[in-house]
Short mmCIF file of all heavy atoms in Angstrom, two decimals:
data_model
loop_
_atom_site.label_atom_id
_atom_site.label_comp_id
_atom_site.label_asym_id
_atom_site.label_seq_id
_atom_site.Cartn_x
_atom_site.Cartn_y
_atom_site.Cartn_z
N ARG A 30 -5.97 -3.62 -7.39
CA ARG A 30 -6.38 -4.92 -6.85
C ARG A 30 -7.88 -5.01 -6.52
O ARG A 30 -8.37 -6.08 -6.17
CB ARG A 30 -5.58 -5.25 -5.57
CG ARG A 30 -4.09 -5.41 -5.78
CD ARG A 30 -3.70 -6.55 -6.69
NE ARG A 30 -4.46 -7.76 -6.39
CZ ARG A 30 -4.74 -8.71 -7.27
NH1 ARG A 30 -4.31 -8.62 -8.51
NH2 ARG A 30 -5.43 -9.77 -6.92
N LEU A 40 -7.32 -8.57 6.13
CA LEU A 40 -6.75 -9.80 5.60
C LEU A 40 -5.38 -10.08 6.22
O LEU A 40 -5.06 -11.23 6.55
CB LEU A 40 -6.63 -9.74 4.08
CG LEU A 40 -7.94 -9.67 3.29
CD1 LEU A 40 -7.66 -9.51 1.79
CD2 LEU A 40 -8.83 -10.86 3.55
N ILE A 43 -5.92 -11.37 9.84
CA ILE A 43 -6.45 -12.74 9.80
C ILE A 43 -5.34 -13.72 9.43
O ILE A 43 -5.23 -14.81 10.02
CB ILE A 43 -7.64 -12.84 8.83
CG1 ILE A 43 -8.82 -12.02 9.36
CG2 ILE A 43 -8.05 -14.31 8.62
CD1 ILE A 43 -9.93 -11.79 8.34
N ASP A 44 -4.51 -13.33 8.49
CA ASP A 44 -3.41 -14.20 8.04
C ASP A 44 -2.34 -14.36 9.13
O ASP A 44 -1.79 -15.44 9.31
CB ASP A 44 -2.78 -13.61 6.78
CG ASP A 44 -1.70 -14.51 6.20
OD1 ASP A 44 -2.01 -15.69 5.92
OD2 ASP A 44 -0.58 -14.02 6.00
N LEU A 72 -15.96 -9.22 3.82
CA LEU A 72 -14.88 -10.10 3.33
C LEU A 72 -15.42 -11.49 3.01
O LEU A 72 -15.01 -12.10 2.02
CB LEU A 72 -13.76 -10.20 4.37
CG LEU A 72 -12.95 -8.94 4.66
CD1 LEU A 72 -11.95 -9.22 5.78
CD2 LEU A 72 -12.26 -8.44 3.41
N VAL A 73 -16.33 -11.98 3.83
CA VAL A 73 -16.95 -13.28 3.59
C VAL A 73 -17.75 -13.22 2.28
O VAL A 73 -17.64 -14.11 1.43
CB VAL A 73 -17.85 -13.70 4.78
CG1 VAL A 73 -18.70 -14.92 4.43
CG2 VAL A 73 -17.00 -13.98 6.02
N ALA A 75 -17.27 -11.31 -0.22
CA ALA A 75 -16.34 -11.20 -1.35
C ALA A 75 -15.64 -12.52 -1.65
O ALA A 75 -14.97 -12.65 -2.68
CB ALA A 75 -15.29 -10.12 -1.06
N GLY A 76 -15.77 -13.49 -0.73
CA GLY A 76 -15.14 -14.80 -0.93
C GLY A 76 -13.69 -14.84 -0.48
O GLY A 76 -12.96 -15.76 -0.84
N TRP A 77 -13.27 -13.88 0.34
CA TRP A 77 -11.88 -13.79 0.78
C TRP A 77 -11.66 -14.37 2.18
O TRP A 77 -10.52 -14.53 2.62
CB TRP A 77 -11.39 -12.35 0.77
CG TRP A 77 -11.39 -11.74 -0.60
CD1 TRP A 77 -11.26 -12.39 -1.80
CD2 TRP A 77 -11.50 -10.36 -0.92
NE1 TRP A 77 -11.29 -11.50 -2.84
CE2 TRP A 77 -11.43 -10.24 -2.33
CE3 TRP A 77 -11.65 -9.20 -0.16
CZ2 TRP A 77 -11.53 -9.02 -2.99
CZ3 TRP A 77 -11.75 -7.99 -0.82
CH2 TRP A 77 -11.68 -7.90 -2.21
N CYS A 78 -12.72 -14.66 2.90
CA CYS A 78 -12.61 -15.07 4.30
C CYS A 78 -13.78 -15.98 4.64
O CYS A 78 -14.85 -15.89 4.04
CB CYS A 78 -12.62 -13.80 5.16
SG CYS A 78 -12.79 -14.04 6.91
N LEU A 79 -13.56 -16.86 5.62
CA LEU A 79 -14.61 -17.73 6.15
C LEU A 79 -14.69 -17.57 7.66
O LEU A 79 -13.67 -17.35 8.33
CB LEU A 79 -14.30 -19.20 5.87
CG LEU A 79 -14.25 -19.67 4.43
CD1 LEU A 79 -13.71 -21.09 4.39
CD2 LEU A 79 -15.62 -19.58 3.80
N VAL A 81 -15.43 -19.85 10.77
CA VAL A 81 -15.47 -21.27 11.12
C VAL A 81 -15.75 -21.37 12.61
O VAL A 81 -15.20 -20.59 13.40
CB VAL A 81 -14.11 -21.94 10.77
CG1 VAL A 81 -14.13 -23.41 11.13
CG2 VAL A 81 -13.78 -21.74 9.31
N LEU A 92 -11.66 -16.89 12.16
CA LEU A 92 -11.63 -16.36 10.80
C LEU A 92 -10.47 -16.98 10.05
O LEU A 92 -9.36 -17.07 10.57
CB LEU A 92 -11.48 -14.84 10.84
CG LEU A 92 -12.53 -14.11 11.69
CD1 LEU A 92 -12.19 -12.64 11.80
CD2 LEU A 92 -13.92 -14.32 11.10
N ARG A 93 -10.75 -17.40 8.82
CA ARG A 93 -9.71 -17.99 7.98
C ARG A 93 -9.80 -17.41 6.59
O ARG A 93 -10.90 -17.18 6.07
CB ARG A 93 -9.89 -19.51 7.89
CG ARG A 93 -9.66 -20.20 9.20
CD ARG A 93 -9.21 -21.63 9.00
NE ARG A 93 -8.97 -22.23 10.30
CZ ARG A 93 -9.75 -23.14 10.86
NH1 ARG A 93 -10.81 -23.59 10.23
NH2 ARG A 93 -9.47 -23.62 12.06
N LEU A 94 -8.66 -17.20 5.97
CA LEU A 94 -8.66 -16.75 4.58
C LEU A 94 -9.02 -17.92 3.68
O LEU A 94 -8.62 -19.06 3.93
CB LEU A 94 -7.28 -16.22 4.19
CG LEU A 94 -6.77 -14.99 4.92
CD1 LEU A 94 -5.42 -14.57 4.34
CD2 LEU A 94 -7.77 -13.85 4.84
N THR A 95 -9.77 -17.63 2.65
CA THR A 95 -10.03 -18.62 1.61
C THR A 95 -8.82 -18.63 0.68
O THR A 95 -7.98 -17.73 0.73
CB THR A 95 -11.28 -18.23 0.80
OG1 THR A 95 -11.02 -16.98 0.15
CG2 THR A 95 -12.52 -18.15 1.69
N PRO A 96 -8.72 -19.62 -0.20
CA PRO A 96 -7.64 -19.58 -1.19
C PRO A 96 -7.66 -18.27 -2.01
O PRO A 96 -6.61 -17.71 -2.30
CB PRO A 96 -7.91 -20.80 -2.06
CG PRO A 96 -8.57 -21.78 -1.13
CD PRO A 96 -9.45 -20.90 -0.26
N GLU A 97 -8.85 -17.79 -2.34
CA GLU A 97 -8.96 -16.52 -3.07
C GLU A 97 -8.48 -15.35 -2.20
O GLU A 97 -7.81 -14.43 -2.68
CB GLU A 97 -10.40 -16.28 -3.53
CG GLU A 97 -10.57 -15.08 -4.42
CD GLU A 97 -9.73 -15.13 -5.70
OE1 GLU A 97 -9.55 -16.22 -6.26
OE2 GLU A 97 -9.26 -14.06 -6.13
N GLY A 98 -8.79 -15.39 -0.91
CA GLY A 98 -8.30 -14.36 0.01
C GLY A 98 -6.79 -14.38 0.14
O GLY A 98 -6.14 -13.33 0.20
N GLU A 99 -6.22 -15.58 0.18
CA GLU A 99 -4.75 -15.71 0.24
C GLU A 99 -4.11 -15.14 -1.02
O GLU A 99 -3.10 -14.44 -0.94
CB GLU A 99 -4.36 -17.18 0.42
CG GLU A 99 -4.71 -17.72 1.79
CD GLU A 99 -4.47 -19.22 1.92
OE1 GLU A 99 -4.14 -19.88 0.90
OE2 GLU A 99 -4.64 -19.73 3.03
N LYS A 100 -4.72 -15.41 -2.19
CA LYS A 100 -4.19 -14.87 -3.44
C LYS A 100 -4.29 -13.34 -3.47
O LYS A 100 -3.35 -12.67 -3.90
CB LYS A 100 -4.96 -15.44 -4.64
CG LYS A 100 -4.62 -16.86 -4.98
CD LYS A 100 -5.39 -17.25 -6.25
CE LYS A 100 -5.76 -18.71 -6.18
NZ LYS A 100 -6.74 -19.11 -7.18
N GLN A 101 -5.42 -12.85 -3.02
CA GLN A 101 -5.62 -11.40 -3.01
C GLN A 101 -4.60 -10.73 -2.09
O GLN A 101 -4.00 -9.71 -2.45
CB GLN A 101 -7.05 -11.07 -2.56
CG GLN A 101 -7.41 -9.61 -2.52
CD GLN A 101 -7.42 -8.94 -3.87
OE1 GLN A 101 -6.37 -8.59 -4.38
NE2 GLN A 101 -8.60 -8.75 -4.43
N LEU A 102 -4.40 -11.29 -0.93
CA LEU A 102 -3.43 -10.73 0.02
C LEU A 102 -2.02 -10.79 -0.55
O LEU A 102 -1.28 -9.80 -0.50
CB LEU A 102 -3.50 -11.49 1.35
CG LEU A 102 -2.56 -11.02 2.45
CD1 LEU A 102 -2.78 -9.54 2.79
CD2 LEU A 102 -2.73 -11.89 3.69
N ALA A 103 -1.64 -11.92 -1.10
CA ALA A 103 -0.29 -12.07 -1.66
C ALA A 103 -0.05 -11.09 -2.81
O ALA A 103 1.04 -10.52 -2.93
CB ALA A 103 -0.07 -13.51 -2.14
N ALA A 104 -1.05 -10.87 -3.63
CA ALA A 104 -0.90 -9.94 -4.76
C ALA A 104 -0.94 -8.49 -4.31
O ALA A 104 -0.38 -7.61 -4.97
CB ALA A 104 -1.99 -10.21 -5.79
N SER A 105 -1.58 -8.22 -3.19
CA SER A 105 -1.73 -6.85 -2.69
C SER A 105 -0.53 -6.36 -1.89
O SER A 105 -0.23 -5.16 -1.88
CB SER A 105 -2.99 -6.74 -1.83
OG SER A 105 -4.14 -7.03 -2.60
N ARG A 106 0.15 -7.27 -1.23
CA ARG A 106 1.30 -6.87 -0.39
C ARG A 106 2.34 -6.07 -1.16
O ARG A 106 2.77 -5.01 -0.68
CB ARG A 106 1.93 -8.09 0.26
CG ARG A 106 1.17 -8.60 1.45
CD ARG A 106 1.85 -9.80 2.09
NE ARG A 106 1.22 -10.12 3.36
CZ ARG A 106 0.92 -11.36 3.74
NH1 ARG A 106 1.20 -12.39 2.96
NH2 ARG A 106 0.35 -11.57 4.91
#
Side-chain angles (χ1 to χ4, degrees):
R30 296 297 316 152
L40 295 176
I43 294 166
D44 184 56
L72 293 177
V73 170
W77 297 333
C78 169
L79 296 171
V81 180
L92 306 173
R93 293 207 179 108
L94 297 183
T95 62
E97 187 59 35
E99 290 173 354
K100 285 184 213 167
Q101 181 65 280
L102 181 58
S105 297
R106 282 181 170 136

